[in-house]
Amino acid sequence: QVQLMESGGGLVQPGGSLRLSCTASGSIFRLDAMGWYRQAPGKQRELVAGITSGGSANYADSVKGRFTISRDNAKNTVYLQMNSLKPEDTAVYSCNARAWDNRLRFGDYWGQGTQVTVSS
């Protein structure tokens, strides 16, 4: 089984910054694409940013130019640097990873989520 553990959420003022981290552990053979999703109250979950194992990234239009996704394959960790935060960025942010486990089964894994609140 593969587990994902997120950290870095919290309360920040508009215009501020936060950095989220997500580390994968467990019976990992190989990590594939990783990404960050968010869900605000009363809204559907949406993709914020994704990154392939080779480092190619894609972003939701609403965060382009403000958020940066990166990963450290040696540490099985993906990061989301969030700058110029806006109140509409308030949501629960969840990490996602696609991975092969040690039995070579391919799966889609989720973290428990971390709250990001942007408010003055």
Side-chain angles (χ1 to χ4, degrees):
Q1 191 69 301
V2 177
Q3 295 87 38
L4 301 179
M5 179 63 69
E6 300 123 333
S7 62
L11 173 64
V12 64
Q13 292 186 343
S17 297
L18 282 176
R19 188 193 196 206
L20 305 182
S21 300
C22 171
T23 299
S25 62
S27 303
I28 302 168
F29 175 75
R30 181 181 172 222
L31 286 172
D32 193 35
M34 302 182 77
W36 289 95
Y37 288 74
R38 68 185 180 187
Q39 187 168 21
K43 294 187 177 181
Q44 288 189 332
R45 184 169 61 190
E46 63 173 350
L47 174 67
V48 177
I51 187 166
T52 67
S53 57
S56 295
N58 63 286
Y59 299 92
D61 287 343
S62 59
V63 307
K64 282 181 181 177
R66 300 188 297 121
F67 291 10
T68 303
I69 190 171
S70 61
R71 65 190 287 171
D72 184 334
N73 291 331
K75 295 181 179 179
N76 289 338
T77 298
V78 63
Y79 306 97
L80 185 67
Q81 178 66 43
M82 305 185 293
N83 298 329
S84 302
L85 282 160
K86 304 175 181 180
E88 51 263 44
D89 294 317
T90 296
V92 174
Y93 285 70
S94 298
C95 175
N96 171 264
R98 297 177 178 180
W100 285 268
D101 66 14
N102 285 341
R103 295 187 179 182
L104 298 183
R105 297 174 299 187
F106 188 73
D108 202 19
Y109 300 94
W110 291 90
Q112 82 286 355
T114 185
Q115 177 70 45
V116 171
T117 302
V118 184
S119 175
S120 55

